[in-house]
């Protein structure tokens, strides 16, 4: 993310973040699409994509809201005009359309307006890379929210007269989740080029799936109930991981690319 380091710019960024967070907390779906358009999301995406995409998509994950903004990112990167839904590759060689005006309930996450297609066309390479970066930030935000839910439960809950957070097994699960999320964020911050975007999406998908698994274990039985917020984020993770290639598929693809090239390129200057 490229942000000027002046006090005024920091203040403006904080104000924008607070405004977006309030909007995403109070609306979702088609209503959120409309609200974001009124806030100037299309202009922000055109003028400051390196700021807009990480900010909005991470907040989508943190708040649990959803919108069809992935269509906007893909269309912009592909140079397409119009507002029609974009055909999006999904895990297993299938395709979906994210149509915020359509009916919901067609996916594991029943809140999302996704429709499965019998066939579709591949996205241009740059559009695929930009979409993967955006989804990576969404998965990262979702993962951090799951970690926060599990951590709060571990701190507040007592077992055998001791705080749940005092048990080593619980601490290890939370620590492993944090390490995975921090690694994914580092990959996203250095996701240059098509391979960088591929690896960043794979890392974010792996981190969010790790968060789903470990945080559900920490929360115990309550984590499996539909009434708890965690289940919502787990379902969201399963869908977002599959969009534009799952972590497992992308890892295999990266391995095949490296074998074909005969060497692994340097993706970040350490």
């Amino acid at each position: 993310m490229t942000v000027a380091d002046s006090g005024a710019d920091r203040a403006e960024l904080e104000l924008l973040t607070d405004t977006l967070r309030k909007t995403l907390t109070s609306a979702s779906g088609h209503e959120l699409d409309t609200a974001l358009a009124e806030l100037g999301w299309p202009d922000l995406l055109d003028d400051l994509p390196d700021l807009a995409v990480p900010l909005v998509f991470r907040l989508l994950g943190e708040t649990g809201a959803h919108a069809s903004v992935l269509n906007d990112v893909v269309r912009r990167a592909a140079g397409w005009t119009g507002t029609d839904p974009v055909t999006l590759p999904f895990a297993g060689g299938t395709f979906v359309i994210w149509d915020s005006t359509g009916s919901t309930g067609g996916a594991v996450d029943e809140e999302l307006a996704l429709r499965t297609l019998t066939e579709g066309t591949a996205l241009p390479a740059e559009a695929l890379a930009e979409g993967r970066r955006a989804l990576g930030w969404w998965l990262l935000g979702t993962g951090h929210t799951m970690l926060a839910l599990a951590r709060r439960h571990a701190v507040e809950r007592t077992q055998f007269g001791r705080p749940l957070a005092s048990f080593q097994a619980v601490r290890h699960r939370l620590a492993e989740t944090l390490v995975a999320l921090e690694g994914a964020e580092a990959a996203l911050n250095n996701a240059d080029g098509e391979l960088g975007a591929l690896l960043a999406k794979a890392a974010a998908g792996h981190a969010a799936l790790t968060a789903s698994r470990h945080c559900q274990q920490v929360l115990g039985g309550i984590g499996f109930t539909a009434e708890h917020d965690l289940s919502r984020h787990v379902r969201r993770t399963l869908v977002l991981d599959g969009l534009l290639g799952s972590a497992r598929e992308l890892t295999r693809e990266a391995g095949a690319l490296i074998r074909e090239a005969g060497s692994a390129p340097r993706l970040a200057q350490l």
Side-chain angles (χ1 to χ4, degrees):
M1 183 187 301
T2 303
V3 182
D5 196 27
S6 68
D9 287 326
R10 286 198 299 271
E12 290 172 3
L13 180 59
E14 290 175 1
L15 177 60
L16 176 61
T17 301
D18 289 342
T19 302
L20 285 170
R21 189 184 297 277
K22 291 176 182 177
T23 301
L24 271 64
T25 301
S26 61
S28 196
H30 183 58
E31 183 182 354
L32 180 55
D33 282 318
T34 302
L36 287 174
E38 292 174 352
L39 283 175
W41 156 251
D43 293 333
L44 186 62
L45 180 60
D46 286 337
D47 297 339
L48 295 169
D50 291 340
L51 183 150
V53 171
L55 179 58
V56 170
F57 279 82
R58 183 164 183 164
L59 284 173
L60 283 171
E62 291 178 358
T63 60
H66 62 89
S68 60
V69 286
L70 180 62
N71 288 335
D72 301 327
V73 172
V74 171
R75 273 196 300 265
R76 176 185 176 276
W80 296 336
T81 58
T83 59
D84 292 337
V86 177
T87 301
L88 303 169
F90 198 80
T94 58
F95 293 86
V96 298
I97 282 181
W98 195 318
D99 184 2
S100 65
T101 62
S103 59
T104 60
V108 172
D109 186 347
E110 295 184 350
E111 295 182 20
L112 303 181
L114 292 177
R115 287 192 288 117
T116 304
L117 302 177
T118 55
E119 59 183 10
T121 56
L123 293 175
E126 181 60 26
L128 187 61
E130 291 299 326
R132 284 171 172 169
R133 290 188 190 94
L135 286 170
W137 287 108
W138 197 339
L139 285 160
L140 184 70
T142 298
H144 273 293
T145 296
M146 288 188 284
L147 178 59
L149 290 170
R151 181 186 178 278
R152 183 164 65 244
H153 178 80
V155 170
E156 296 174 352
R157 177 89 173 187
T158 58
Q159 198 169 55
F160 306 115
R162 296 168 54 190
L164 192 61
S166 67
F167 291 94
Q168 191 175 49
V170 172
R171 298 166 72 93
H172 282 180
R173 289 186 183 277
L174 296 179
E176 185 176 336
T177 299
L178 179 60
V179 168
L181 292 170
E182 292 291 319
E185 184 167 1
L188 285 163
N189 282 325
N190 292 278
D192 295 326
E194 296 170 21
L195 181 58
L198 183 154
L199 293 172
K201 169 66 163 57
H206 170 73
L209 291 170
T210 297
S212 299
R213 184 171 64 255
H214 286 342
C215 294
Q216 201 161 55
Q217 287 291 324
V218 170
L219 282 158
I222 194 173
F224 289 89
T225 63
E227 291 76 17
H228 197 278
D229 285 343
L230 181 75
S231 63
R232 182 185 188 188
H233 290 282
V234 170
R235 293 194 301 271
R236 186 67 45 83
T237 294
L238 293 174
V239 175
L240 296 180
D241 177 58
L243 273 170
L244 308 190
S246 68
R248 179 175 296 182
E249 290 173 332
L250 295 180
T251 301
R252 290 200 196 100
E253 185 178 342
L257 291 172
I258 292 171
R259 284 198 309 271
E260 183 179 346
S263 63
R266 182 184 296 275
L267 299 175
Q269 299 298 324
L270 302 178

